Amino acid sequence: MFPISFGSDNHSGIHYTVISALQKVNVGFCPAYGDDPLTAAVLAQLEALFGGDAAATFVMTGTGANILALQSVLSSFHAVICADTAHINVDECGALQKCIGARLMPIKTPDGKLTPKLIAPLFLLDRDQHHSQYKVISISQSTEYGTLYTLEEIRALADFAHEHGLLLHIDGARLANAAAALNCSLKELTKDAGADIISFGGTKNGLLFGEAIISFVPELSQDIRFYRKQITQLFSKMRFISAQYEAYLTRDLWLECARHANAMAGLLAEKLAEFPQIKLVNKVEVNSLFVKMPAAWIPILQEKYLFYTWDEAKHIVRLMCSFNTLEEHIEEFVESVRELAHSK
Amino acid sequence: MFPISFGSDNHSGIHYTVISALQKVNVGFCPAYGDDPLTAAVLAQLEALFGGDAAATFVMTGTGANILALQSVLSSFHAVICADTAHINVDECGALQKCIGARLMPIKTPDGKLTPKLIAPLFLLDRDQHHSQYKVISISQSTEYGTLYTLEEIRALADFAHEHGLLLHIDGARLANAAAALNCSLKELTKDAGADIISFGGTKNGLLFGEAIISFVPELSQDIRFYRKQITQLFSKMRFISAQYEAYLTRDLWLECARHANAMAGLLAEKLAEFPQIKLVNKVEVNSLFVKMPAAWIPILQEKYLFYTWDEAKHIVRLMCSFNTLEEHIEEFVESVRELAHSK
Amino acid sequence: MFPISFGSDNHSGIHYTVISALQKVNVGFCPAYGDDPLTAAVLAQLEALFGGDAAATFVMTGTGANILALQSVLSSFHAVICADTAHINVDECGALQKCIGARLMPIKTPDGKLTPKLIAPLFLLDRDQHHSQYKVISISQSTEYGTLYTLEEIRALADFAHEHGLLLHIDGARLANAAAALNCSLKELTKDAGADIISFGGTKNGLLFGEAIISFVPELSQDIRFYRKQITQLFSKMRFISAQYEAYLTRDLWLECARHANAMAGLLAEKLAEFPQIKLVNKVEVNSLFVKMPAAWIPILQEKYLFYTWDEAKHIVRLMCSFNTLEEHIEEFVESVRELAHSK
Amino acid sequence: MFPISFGSDNHSGIHYTVISALQKVNVGFCPAYGDDPLTAAVLAQLEALFGGDAAATFVMTGTGANILALQSVLSSFHAVICADTAHINVDECGALQKCIGARLMPIKTPDGKLTPKLIAPLFLLDRDQHHSQYKVISISQSTEYGTLYTLEEIRALADFAHEHGLLLHIDGARLANAAAALNCSLKELTKDAGADIISFGGTKNGLLFGEAIISFVPELSQDIRFYRKQITQLFSKMRFISAQYEAYLTRDLWLECARHANAMAGLLAEKLAEFPQIKLVNKVEVNSLFVKMPAAWIPILQEKYLFYTWDEAKHIVRLMCSFNTLEEHIEEFVESVRELAHSK
């Protein structure tokens, strides 16, 4: 029905295992709003996966996960330090400002990644009653720019945050891709690296919907269940999120899907290397490529493939792979590029 | 796995047609956030069903539908007049106050239903700069108390609202049940009766998730798409809501499910009439019964069936049927009651 | 220029001592926003007056004082229990809902006064994730209905609040009148009676502007200075509030003004007792009278005197005295009443 | 009591004419909240001064004026474009985010001044449902950096705003200083230059408190009186703001005060030119100087004079004059500088 898409990992569908899980749990009756044993079990499984001492909470959307995670630790007079490319800054229509009343303090970065060095200048100025108080450093792992924090880089940010009395939040809409790329566990990637509150995304990696918030500061986020309802993120038929997550965790489906998406991006990069007219802007670390190509090619390719221009002036496009990107999609795309490359 | 539930219509699962629809649309790639032809087509179908000149919007949850519908027509200094039993007043953890900053003006009613006569006293007092300004009358159809507004009653409320410069909002989480009971079309039930903005629920009536907001004042709610994102209710993989609604509208599945749920409630009432110890509190109009029974029976029945006590002091319980309540569930329940009735 | 007013105690002007204080402090330069020694000294004086261990904060308006006091101890998912006649419920245009995002739980009372017995039914129902959580009981002392809580009544409410994990807030816009009437200290009226956070009004009792928040839970309200700025209640030229409060506290000006206002209300009640056509609705406890009078008299008197109808249907009016009500104002008013009484 | 201050124009006191006006209006009783003839008259006078077709509103604080002006024309999904040095961005503790739920889009500028050229790049990117929608360009006149927009520059920004469907807001906390410096009328500076909504400050220029909002889009800001109450900015004893503004407008006191403050800053600049160790960072256009001086001098001078360091690294300080800065203050300061200059 629709063309092949490298537009976003949310252009993909649902993993068949997840559909099966929905069907399997679709029997009889079940208490709503999470008061069911399946939900309790899957939350416990998630908490164990992140290393224990965590509190897991399900929400419906990625923006919901970010806003609720931050709401649970912020007051309205707080500020969140983030990269200026962060989803919370760019793509959430001011949800944080509306729902929390707090402000963002976005920082320009070369590659979508914050560092203590980039943040430090903020702390040179006094912040008195006239100023929002810094409370959270929020990073995206992997970033909106397709880049990746190493475990050491996360640790350095967590240490910096804690030294200044702040918390480290990870927008993990693509945390699975990061774990796959870094070949580490979710625990190593978050708790062990010092993160305080994170989201663990599912929708972009094979689920129908449903995101998990993992808090390592449960005493700070004890009120999360009230905020969840209040920002309209409490799902009634919760067993259907739980069942998806059960499938997602079984035999590491989350990892398999993420590895596949990453591998497809790697393959695409490899094959595009054939064309001198195309330049990779960043190293391909997870499931997206940012490539510069001749301006004239873009609209021609977009007739056949879904993908977005990232920087019009520099004719950079983003190509994103997902769990259901196939080798033949890539071959077809590369073939189309080859035609363009040889057409003149 | 779980016992038979008369606890809520959100204890039920997903209609098999809806599961099939999810599977059917789960092919290939698709633009996200509603930018796909299926979504456009299903929204148009919905708008036609409600009589044209409407604007339909999909959200994820029932509370999301209420809050977004009201947000689209309210400023923070406004007040919403509602029954004190209204879901927005009782069961949404203050979502309206947080998300909109507005206030509720709840009114006590005998049966969950507002009337112009009950509302009129509010307009005897001046409302100047010290007071929130009335802007919306919000009713639930059917109500949280299992009662039903007739078309004439809705019309009277709409006329009252419009005469006073207000709008009429319908929380239609169970609008399907109301239409089934009144044997009228959705258009007759809303637009023709003078309603301005309504929600048309799906989750309690066989869908997995997804609610529709129908606005007959599109000029007032033109900004709804921005508010939707900002309150975290924009779904990325929108085709999967649209596919559910396509199934829901096909051969009037919504109506069939609602009729069944209503009929089961009627059957249950009929069968319980056998027991002089049990008294119906309200006439059964849609899919729920409020019944008074011997206090001692309640915990015994609750060991085997899921249902909730509505009024502890008066030992009134709520029994709710849904699209997947079967006659044998009712027979089994009645048999259990019979055992209790004969046990002494 | 304007007629004699019994309309409100904010129809009165500024005590001449306060004007003098403004002039006296109007020399040279002074750090802004409260960073000056006078402000520090006056806040300390206030804190001592309320019994130590308190934290005092200046704001500009009475609504500002209520909202900031409550903001400092509430999250958005909380509910505040109050009388339905409370200023925060009736007269603040939904400021609490907008600024805090929380909700009110107003309770009908016979006389503007809450009691544990009136509140207790709220605690019979479970409050789970679907419901705002009760956090504060807010009372007005004296009430908007001209009534007064005894010290024992406040203590009972404080005990009830604390037993249920709640705090007791006092809207003390007219706390001075209450202390004068009860012949007790401000400490006895608040800290000793178990109150947690209160406002101590000045504007209605001889000041130009400026209200004080006194918190006995400084650890809960430690962030009050940030919230103060954020809700636009931080005054730049703070010395001019401090100077007014210095005058207000000197030789108990606050008490003298309040006693006078109360005495004038007593005198007016005494003199109106002459007329069998006039009935006092409540006992006169502080500086206002609620009186029922022949409907025809009201507009005639309102031609010459400023005062407001409280209940149109029952022709009850409110007559309020203030620090600058004089005996001759009362005599003149009574004379006008006498003319009416004898005119037929 | 306090040392001479070049710290801020809110370190100054109240003009004696204003004190007199407070005393003069302090007679008898007066309706509250602006329902008095003096307030009506002074608002009309203000509206006439700004050229008619304007709607004037009084508030208490400068932050209150900014937030209320913007609230009256913004929805929560909107964004305000401003210089990153703007008071609303830097000094209001996130009041806009909390009170309005909207976001700021701050832009780096060389001199605190926005230009169409600096703003234009924002409009290169699509803003769809994922993004806050630009609605207002907000400038400060004079700026926080002591610089000034010419009438042509304001006109260019207003035209740019209107072409893009936006409004132009002016934070005019120091609008009087700007008018004095540009030698133009308030009408020429605002309405004639295309501004839509502005604040006209008083507190920094000789008043005790009280700011005016002037709206040239009354249809957009018709709800301002409700928002004013809701954000706690409605003053009860309004006649005391009106009386101050009456004095402020009489014989152009506002202009006289502003001219004096500007002249004192000019004089200070002139005298400091004597010292080769001191460099003016900007041309002195209104009432503040930004000067670079030897780092060692700063703490020595701060022992005797109140003023703030603007840029620690570059040892730039801000010296601000006000209506009550006297020539002898400047001479004394210059003498102190001279001692330092000659001390080695």
Side-chain angles (χ1 to χ4, degrees):
Chain A
M1 185 154 53
F2 296 106
I4 295 169
S5 175
F6 298 99
S8 173
D9 35 15
N10 60 31
H11 288 191
S12 64
I14 319 170
H15 196 277
Y16 70 91
T17 312
V18 172
I19 287 269
S20 296
L22 291 174
Q23 284 178 292
K24 201 180 127 204
V25 81
N26 188 29
V27 269
F29 300 96
C30 178
Y33 302 113
D35 293 335
D36 65 276
L38 177 64
T39 298
V42 179
L43 288 175
Q45 206 182 336
L46 258 174
E47 289 161 359
L49 193 63
F50 279 87
D53 295 328
T57 305
F58 286 134
V59 293
M60 304 205 72
T61 67
T63 295
N66 282 336
I67 296 307
L68 183 58
L70 291 169
Q71 171 74 80
S72 75
V73 296
L74 290 178
S75 295
S76 61
F77 62 82
H78 284 140
V80 175
I81 299 166
C82 64
D84 67 352
T85 46
H87 199 267
I88 51 171
N89 187 44
V90 176
D91 285 311
E92 301 188 355
C93 201
L96 181 135
Q97 288 84 348
K98 178 180 187 64
C99 295
I100 309 181
R103 71 169 292 163
L104 295 169
M105 198 58 96
I107 292 181
K108 266 199 200 318
T109 70
D111 53 3
K113 289 168 60 181
L114 289 178
T115 62
K117 202 173 156 189
L118 284 167
I119 300 170
L122 292 180
F123 288 85
L124 294 180
L125 297 169
D126 278 350
R127 306 289 293 176
D128 64 15
Q129 61 181 342
H130 300 276
H131 309 112
S132 300
Q133 302 294 300
Y134 300 127
K135 177 72 179 183
V136 166
I137 296 173
S138 176
I139 62 174
S140 303
Q141 171 78 321
S142 60
T143 73
E144 293 76 6
Y145 211 47
T147 51
L148 212 48
Y149 290 89
T150 65
L151 299 185
E152 295 69 34
E153 287 169 337
I154 296 176
R155 167 52 67 194
L157 283 163
D159 288 348
F160 182 91
H162 300 154
E163 279 156 24
H164 290 82
L166 280 70
L167 300 171
L168 182 66
H169 166 254
I170 301 180
D171 175 350
R174 296 187 184 97
L175 196 70
N177 301 86
L182 291 167
N183 200 21
C184 67
S185 72
L186 292 170
K187 176 172 174 287
E188 289 166 332
L189 190 51
T190 56
K191 187 189 184 185
D192 294 353
D196 296 294
I197 189 158
I198 65 145
S199 55
F200 176 47
T203 313
K204 289 176 194 281
N205 194 32
L207 299 194
L208 170 52
F209 68 102
E211 310 280 307
I213 297 170
I214 313 291
S215 171
F216 298 115
V217 280
E219 74 286 2
L220 284 181
S221 55
Q222 62 180 320
D223 298 327
I224 204 166
R225 69 194 193 283
F226 301 114
Y227 285 125
R228 178 172 62 173
K229 180 69 185 179
Q230 211 181 16
I231 66 161
T232 79
Q233 282 287 321
L234 176 62
F235 183 43
S236 55
K237 295 179 167 176
M238 190 72 87
R239 61 170 147 167
F240 293 103
I241 292 184
S242 307
Q244 291 182 74
Y245 267 84
E246 191 183 37
Y248 200 43
L249 300 185
T250 300
R251 280 189 300 280
D252 291 341
L253 175 62
W254 63 273
L255 187 57
E256 180 193 316
C257 287
R259 272 188 186 142
H260 177 79
N262 291 359
M264 288 300 103
L267 182 66
L268 181 53
E270 201 182 302
K271 291 195 180 273
L272 291 178
E274 170 190 339
F275 307 103
Q277 301 94 330
I278 291 186
K279 293 265 175 293
L280 270 184
V281 173
N282 283 334
K283 197 177 93 180
V284 175
E285 300 194 278
V286 281
N287 62 324
S288 58
L289 294 75
F290 292 76
V291 301
K292 194 174 161 67
M293 61 168 67
W297 293 12
I298 298 174
I300 299 169
L301 288 167
Q302 281 176 333
E303 275 168 36
K304 205 164 157 204
Y305 307 93
L306 267 175
F307 64 91
Y308 299 112
T309 302
W310 187 259
D311 185 325
E312 191 112 27
K314 299 185 181 162
H315 28 103
I316 295 171
V317 303
R318 184 183 77 171
L319 300 173
M320 188 164 263
C321 297
S322 75
F323 86 95
N324 69 347
T325 304
L326 300 179
E327 288 201 30
E328 48 260 48
H329 300 148
I330 286 169
E331 278 156 20
E332 198 177 323
F333 183 78
V334 170
E335 192 47 43
S336 298
V337 171
R338 189 170 295 121
E339 282 170 30
L340 285 167
H342 295 188
S343 71
K344 244 195 193 171
Chain B
M1 182 153 54
F2 297 105
I4 295 169
S5 175
F6 298 100
S8 174
D9 35 14
N10 59 34
H11 289 191
S12 65
I14 319 170
H15 196 277
Y16 69 92
T17 311
V18 172
I19 286 271
S20 296
L22 291 174
Q23 284 178 290
K24 202 180 126 202
V25 81
N26 189 29
V27 269
F29 299 95
C30 178
Y33 302 112
D35 293 335
D36 65 276
L38 177 64
T39 298
V42 178
L43 288 174
Q45 207 181 337
L46 258 175
E47 289 162 358
L49 193 63
F50 279 87
D53 295 330
T57 306
F58 286 134
V59 295
M60 304 207 72
T61 67
T63 295
N66 282 335
I67 296 307
L68 183 58
L70 291 168
Q71 171 75 79
S72 75
V73 296
L74 290 178
S75 295
S76 61
F77 61 82
H78 285 138
V80 175
I81 299 166
C82 63
D84 67 352
T85 47
H87 199 268
I88 51 171
N89 187 43
V90 176
D91 286 311
E92 301 187 354
C93 201
L96 181 133
Q97 289 84 350
K98 180 182 186 63
C99 295
I100 310 182
R103 72 168 292 165
L104 295 169
M105 198 57 99
I107 292 181
K108 267 198 197 320
T109 70
D111 53 3
K113 288 167 61 181
L114 289 178
T115 63
K117 204 173 154 187
L118 285 168
I119 299 170
L122 292 180
F123 289 85
L124 294 179
L125 297 169
D126 278 350
R127 306 287 294 175
D128 63 15
Q129 61 182 342
H130 300 277
H131 310 111
S132 301
Q133 302 294 300
Y134 301 128
K135 177 71 179 185
V136 166
I137 296 174
S138 175
I139 62 173
S140 303
Q141 170 78 321
S142 59
T143 74
E144 293 76 7
Y145 210 48
T147 52
L148 212 48
Y149 291 89
T150 65
L151 299 185
E152 295 70 34
E153 287 169 338
I154 296 175
R155 167 52 67 193
L157 283 163
D159 288 348
F160 182 92
H162 299 154
E163 279 157 22
H164 290 82
L166 279 70
L167 301 172
L168 183 66
H169 166 254
I170 301 181
D171 175 351
R174 296 186 184 98
L175 197 71
N177 302 85
L182 291 167
N183 199 23
C184 68
S185 72
L186 292 170
K187 175 172 174 287
E188 288 165 333
L189 190 51
T190 56
K191 186 189 184 186
D192 293 354
D196 296 295
I197 189 157
I198 66 146
S199 54
F200 176 46
T203 314
K204 289 175 194 283
N205 195 32
L207 301 194
L208 171 52
F209 68 100
E211 312 279 305
I213 297 170
I214 313 292
S215 171
F216 299 115
V217 281
E219 74 285 2
L220 284 180
S221 55
Q222 60 181 321
D223 298 326
I224 204 166
R225 69 194 193 282
F226 301 113
Y227 285 126
R228 178 172 61 176
K229 179 69 187 181
Q230 210 182 15
I231 67 162
T232 77
Q233 282 286 320
L234 175 61
F235 183 42
S236 55
K237 294 179 169 176
M238 190 71 88
R239 62 170 148 168
F240 292 104
I241 291 184
S242 306
Q244 291 182 74
Y245 266 83
E246 189 183 39
Y248 200 43
L249 300 185
T250 300
R251 281 187 299 281
D252 290 340
L253 175 62
W254 64 273
L255 186 58
E256 181 193 316
C257 287
R259 273 189 186 140
H260 177 80
N262 291 359
M264 289 300 101
L267 182 65
L268 181 54
E270 203 182 302
K271 292 195 180 272
L272 291 179
E274 171 191 336
F275 308 104
Q277 301 94 329
I278 291 186
K279 292 266 176 292
L280 270 183
V281 172
N282 283 334
K283 199 177 91 179
V284 175
E285 299 195 275
V286 281
N287 62 325
S288 58
L289 294 75
F290 291 77
V291 302
K292 194 174 159 68
M293 62 168 64
W297 293 12
I298 297 174
I300 299 170
L301 288 167
Q302 282 175 335
E303 277 169 34
K304 206 165 155 202
Y305 306 93
L306 267 176
F307 63 91
Y308 300 112
T309 303
W310 187 259
D311 185 324
E312 191 114 25
K314 300 184 181 163
H315 27 103
I316 295 171
V317 304
R318 184 183 76 169
L319 301 172
M320 190 164 263
C321 297
S322 74
F323 85 95
N324 69 347
T325 304
L326 300 180
E327 288 201 32
E328 48 260 46
H329 299 149
I330 286 170
E331 279 156 19
E332 197 178 322
F333 182 79
V334 170
E335 193 47 44
S336 297
V337 171
R338 190 171 294 123
E339 282 169 30
L340 285 167
H342 296 186
S343 72
K344 242 194 192 167
Chain C
M1 181 153 58
F2 298 105
I4 296 169
S5 175
F6 298 100
S8 173
D9 35 16
N10 60 33
H11 289 192
S12 65
I14 319 169
H15 195 277
Y16 69 91
T17 312
V18 172
I19 286 269
S20 295
L22 291 173
Q23 284 179 291
K24 202 180 126 205
V25 81
N26 188 30
V27 269
F29 299 97
C30 176
Y33 301 113
D35 294 334
D36 65 276
L38 177 65
T39 298
V42 178
L43 288 174
Q45 206 182 338
L46 257 175
E47 289 162 359
L49 193 63
F50 279 87
D53 295 329
T57 305
F58 286 133
V59 294
M60 304 206 72
T61 67
T63 294
N66 282 336
I67 296 307
L68 183 58
L70 291 168
Q71 171 73 81
S72 74
V73 296
L74 291 178
S75 294
S76 61
F77 61 82
H78 285 139
V80 175
I81 299 166
C82 62
D84 67 352
T85 47
H87 199 268
I88 51 172
N89 186 43
V90 176
D91 285 311
E92 301 187 355
C93 201
L96 182 135
Q97 289 85 348
K98 180 181 186 65
C99 295
I100 310 182
R103 72 169 291 165
L104 294 169
M105 198 56 99
I107 293 181
K108 266 198 199 320
T109 70
D111 53 3
K113 288 168 61 181
L114 289 177
T115 63
K117 202 172 156 189
L118 284 167
I119 299 170
L122 292 180
F123 289 85
L124 294 179
L125 297 169
D126 278 351
R127 305 289 294 177
D128 63 16
Q129 63 182 340
H130 299 278
H131 309 111
S132 302
Q133 303 294 300
Y134 300 128
K135 177 71 181 184
V136 165
I137 297 173
S138 176
I139 62 173
S140 303
Q141 172 76 320
S142 60
T143 75
E144 293 76 8
Y145 211 47
T147 52
L148 212 48
Y149 291 89
T150 65
L151 298 185
E152 294 69 33
E153 287 170 337
I154 296 175
R155 165 54 66 195
L157 283 163
D159 288 348
F160 182 92
H162 299 154
E163 279 157 23
H164 289 83
L166 279 70
L167 301 172
L168 182 67
H169 166 253
I170 301 179
D171 175 351
R174 295 187 184 97
L175 197 71
N177 301 85
L182 291 167
N183 200 21
C184 68
S185 73
L186 292 170
K187 175 171 176 286
E188 288 165 333
L189 190 52
T190 57
K191 187 188 185 187
D192 293 354
D196 296 295
I197 189 158
I198 66 145
S199 55
F200 176 47
T203 315
K204 289 175 194 282
N205 194 32
L207 300 194
L208 170 52
F209 68 101
E211 311 279 305
I213 297 170
I214 313 290
S215 172
F216 298 115
V217 282
E219 74 286 3
L220 285 181
S221 56
Q222 60 179 322
D223 298 327
I224 204 166
R225 69 194 193 283
F226 301 114
Y227 284 127
R228 178 172 61 175
K229 179 67 186 180
Q230 211 182 15
I231 66 161
T232 77
Q233 281 287 321
L234 176 61
F235 183 42
S236 54
K237 294 179 169 177
M238 190 72 88
R239 61 170 149 168
F240 292 104
I241 291 184
S242 307
Q244 290 182 74
Y245 267 83
E246 189 184 39
Y248 200 42
L249 300 186
T250 300
R251 280 187 300 281
D252 290 340
L253 175 63
W254 63 273
L255 187 57
E256 179 193 317
C257 287
R259 273 189 186 141
H260 176 82
N262 292 359
M264 289 299 103
L267 182 66
L268 181 55
E270 202 182 301
K271 293 196 178 270
L272 292 177
E274 169 192 339
F275 308 104
Q277 301 94 328
I278 291 186
K279 293 264 176 295
L280 269 184
V281 173
N282 283 334
K283 197 178 94 181
V284 175
E285 299 195 276
V286 281
N287 62 323
S288 59
L289 295 74
F290 291 77
V291 301
K292 194 174 160 69
M293 61 168 66
W297 292 12
I298 298 173
I300 298 170
L301 287 168
Q302 282 177 333
E303 276 169 34
K304 207 166 153 201
Y305 307 93
L306 267 176
F307 64 92
Y308 300 112
T309 302
W310 187 259
D311 185 324
E312 191 112 27
K314 299 183 181 165
H315 28 103
I316 294 171
V317 303
R318 184 182 76 170
L319 301 172
M320 189 163 264
C321 297
S322 73
F323 85 94
N324 68 346
T325 304
L326 300 180
E327 287 201 33
E328 49 258 47
H329 300 148
I330 286 169
E331 278 155 20
E332 197 178 322
F333 182 78
V334 171
E335 192 48 43
S336 297
V337 171
R338 192 170 293 123
E339 282 169 30
L340 285 166
H342 294 187
S343 71
K344 246 199 185 160
Chain D
M1 185 152 56
F2 297 105
I4 295 169
S5 175
F6 298 100
S8 173
D9 34 15
N10 60 33
H11 288 192
S12 65
I14 319 169
H15 195 277
Y16 69 91
T17 312
V18 172
I19 285 269
S20 296
L22 291 173
Q23 284 178 291
K24 200 179 129 204
V25 82
N26 188 30
V27 269
F29 299 97
C30 177
Y33 302 113
D35 294 335
D36 65 274
L38 177 63
T39 298
V42 178
L43 288 174
Q45 205 182 337
L46 257 175
E47 290 162 358
L49 193 63
F50 279 88
D53 296 328
T57 305
F58 286 133
V59 294
M60 304 205 73
T61 67
T63 294
N66 282 336
I67 297 306
L68 183 58
L70 291 168
Q71 171 74 80
S72 75
V73 296
L74 290 178
S75 294
S76 61
F77 62 82
H78 285 139
V80 175
I81 299 166
C82 63
D84 67 353
T85 46
H87 199 267
I88 52 171
N89 186 44
V90 175
D91 286 311
E92 301 188 356
C93 200
L96 182 135
Q97 289 86 347
K98 179 181 186 64
C99 295
I100 309 182
R103 71 168 291 164
L104 295 170
M105 197 58 98
I107 293 181
K108 266 197 201 319
T109 70
D111 52 3
K113 289 167 62 180
L114 289 177
T115 63
K117 203 173 156 188
L118 285 167
I119 300 171
L122 292 180
F123 289 84
L124 293 180
L125 297 169
D126 279 349
R127 305 290 292 178
D128 64 15
Q129 62 182 341
H130 299 276
H131 309 111
S132 301
Q133 302 294 300
Y134 301 127
K135 177 72 179 183
V136 166
I137 297 173
S138 176
I139 61 173
S140 303
Q141 172 76 321
S142 60
T143 74
E144 293 76 7
Y145 210 47
T147 51
L148 211 49
Y149 290 89
T150 65
L151 298 186
E152 294 68 34
E153 286 169 338
I154 297 176
R155 167 52 68 193
L157 283 163
D159 288 347
F160 182 91
H162 299 154
E163 278 157 24
H164 290 81
L166 279 69
L167 300 172
L168 182 66
H169 167 254
I170 301 179
D171 174 350
R174 296 188 183 98
L175 197 70
N177 302 85
L182 291 167
N183 200 22
C184 68
S185 72
L186 292 170
K187 176 172 174 286
E188 289 165 333
L189 190 53
T190 57
K191 187 189 184 186
D192 294 353
D196 296 296
I197 189 158
I198 65 146
S199 55
F200 176 46
T203 314
K204 289 177 195 280
N205 193 32
L207 300 194
L208 170 52
F209 68 102
E211 311 280 306
I213 297 170
I214 313 291
S215 171
F216 298 115
V217 281
E219 74 286 3
L220 285 181
S221 55
Q222 60 181 322
D223 297 327
I224 204 166
R225 70 194 193 283
F226 302 114
Y227 284 125
R228 177 172 62 175
K229 179 69 187 179
Q230 211 181 14
I231 66 162
T232 78
Q233 282 286 321
L234 176 61
F235 183 42
S236 55
K237 295 179 169 176
M238 190 72 87
R239 61 170 147 167
F240 293 104
I241 291 184
S242 306
Q244 291 181 74
Y245 267 83
E246 190 183 39
Y248 199 43
L249 301 185
T250 299
R251 279 188 301 278
D252 291 340
L253 174 63
W254 62 273
L255 186 58
E256 179 193 317
C257 288
R259 273 188 186 142
H260 177 80
N262 291 359
M264 288 300 102
L267 181 67
L268 181 54
E270 203 182 303
K271 292 196 180 272
L272 291 177
E274 168 190 342
F275 307 104
Q277 301 94 329
I278 291 187
K279 293 263 174 297
L280 270 183
V281 173
N282 283 335
K283 197 177 94 179
V284 176
E285 299 194 276
V286 280
N287 62 323
S288 58
L289 294 72
F290 291 77
V291 300
K292 194 174 162 67
M293 61 168 67
W297 293 12
I298 299 174
I300 299 170
L301 288 167
Q302 282 176 333
E303 276 168 36
K304 205 163 157 206
Y305 306 93
L306 267 174
F307 64 92
Y308 300 113
T309 302
W310 187 259
D311 185 326
E312 191 112 27
K314 299 185 183 162
H315 28 101
I316 295 171
V317 302
R318 184 182 76 170
L319 301 173
M320 189 163 265
C321 297
S322 74
F323 86 94
N324 69 346
T325 304
L326 301 180
E327 288 201 31
E328 48 260 48
H329 300 149
I330 287 170
E331 278 156 19
E332 197 178 322
F333 183 78
V334 170
E335 190 48 43
S336 298
V337 172
R338 190 169 295 122
E339 281 170 30
L340 285 166
H342 296 187
S343 71
K344 247 199 188 167

